[in-house]
Amino acid sequence: MQRLSDKVAIVTGAGQGIGAAIARRFAEEGAQVAIAERNPETGARMAAEISGDTGATAISVVTDVADRTSVEAMVAEVTDRLGDPDVLVNNAGVAVFGDPLSITDEDWARCMSVDLDGAWHCARAVLPAMRARKNGAIINIASNHALQVIRDTFPYPVAKHGVIGLTRALALQYAGEGIAVNAISPGYIDTPIAEWYFKQQPDAAAFRRETEAKQPVGRLGRPEEVAAVAALLASDEARFMTGANLVIDGGVTIRMYE
């Protein structure tokens, strides 16, 4: 079933991991996909892979979501090459973890500029065309850090709580204009970044087993599982859902202390 036929979708930070899985799933569902990625090499490579594997149109546009001018140029290029965007997935993000009184002003600014400001820059750039057509879907990738907080992960959860607030505010503002705005909060997903983090530990395999054992389902999530939910939210089937935050974390946030 191609639920996204004839739709144009922008996925930020889609050069790898969750974003790449979402872009690929959208292409499989019939969408034309724009990968808005800061790294030109990974973005171009993923666009080529998706086009070759699915036959769908996939392009890459170098984008720094923290820079409003860069975002506006990206949306203008996507519109020129593919048409007005029907779907936006704000997936680009950066994990900045630390002790609140130890992080620098630069740490705070980097986290907020990408994780929160970046989502707003992209939403602001696509909303005028969506409002004109009275149709659109915006999906913000938040985190289970938006629901529960771990010590020494500051200010990442602050930004992700803000993403939920942005989602709800925009959802209510444009609910009557045919635009659905929702969020997805993934837990521990098996991405290249997670694999890199495991390899920084003295015993990568042991640390991975320990991490998996902490998940109620006994494993890490797969990027494809997040992509499946994003495809639903991007489709016309889910347009009565707006302002929601769908948690995909294997049960972590519903578990009390043990």
Side-chain angles (χ1 to χ4, degrees):
M1 177 173 64
Q2 292 199 320
R3 291 181 291 188
L4 304 181
S5 293
D6 301 321
K7 293 190 182 296
V8 173
I10 296 171
V11 185
T12 69
Q16 64 177 4
I18 292 173
I22 292 173
R24 179 177 292 274
R25 178 61 182 263
F26 282 9
E28 292 170 348
E29 296 275 6
Q32 299 183 80
V33 179
I35 294 173
E37 168 65 50
R38 185 176 181 179
N39 186 318
E41 294 180 359
T42 58
R45 182 169 61 249
M46 188 53 58
E49 288 181 9
I50 289 173
S51 292
D53 293 344
T54 68
T57 299
I59 66 171
S60 176
V61 183
V62 178
T63 310
D64 179 359
V65 299
D67 182 344
R68 181 180 175 182
T69 300
S70 176
V71 168
E72 291 174 346
M74 176 271 291
V75 172
E77 181 174 342
V78 171
T79 302
D80 182 60
R81 296 174 64 181
L82 304 180
D84 288 329
D86 302 285
V87 181
L88 166 68
V89 180
N90 281 313
N91 168 76
V94 59
V96 179
F97 291 169
D99 172 79
L101 295 182
S102 298
I103 68 161
T104 65
D105 290 346
E106 290 74 20
D107 292 332
W108 172 275
R110 183 164 65 95
C111 186
M112 297 301 158
S113 67
V114 177
D115 293 344
L116 183 54
D117 294 348
W120 170 228
H121 291 160
C122 293
R124 176 163 49 186
V126 302
L127 275 166
M130 289 183 177
R131 293 184 70 196
R133 300 195 316 278
K134 295 191 177 299
N135 188 277
I138 297 174
I139 303 164
N140 296 321
I141 305 300
S143 168
N144 57 359
H145 283 264
L147 307 172
Q148 295 183 325
V149 178
I150 303 171
R151 289 192 182 99
D152 298 321
T153 63
F154 190 88
Y156 184 73
V158 181
K160 291 303 184 179
H161 275 71
V163 170
I164 299 300
L166 176 69
T167 301
R168 299 179 70 189
L170 294 180
L172 185 60
Q173 186 72 32
Y174 300 111
E177 299 187 45
I179 302 168
V181 186
N182 293 289
I184 297 175
S185 285
Y188 219 132
I189 307 299
D190 199 354
T191 63
I193 292 176
E195 185 64 28
W196 173 87
Y197 181 65
F198 293 150
K199 290 180 179 178
Q200 307 310 301
Q201 311 307 314
D203 187 335
F207 188 81
R208 183 185 181 96
R209 288 193 298 270
E210 292 172 6
T211 302
E212 290 173 340
K214 291 177 181 179
Q215 314 305 309
V217 299
R219 65 173 176 85
L220 304 186
R222 295 185 293 271
E224 294 76 17
E225 293 174 305
V226 181
V229 176
L232 172 64
L233 293 178
S235 73
D236 293 337
E237 298 173 78
R239 290 305 168 86
F240 195 63
M241 180 186 296
T242 195
N245 176 39
L246 302 185
V247 181
I248 307 175
D249 71 350
V252 167
T253 54
I254 62 172
R255 180 182 62 193
M256 291 184 68
Y257 60 87
E258 297 174 345

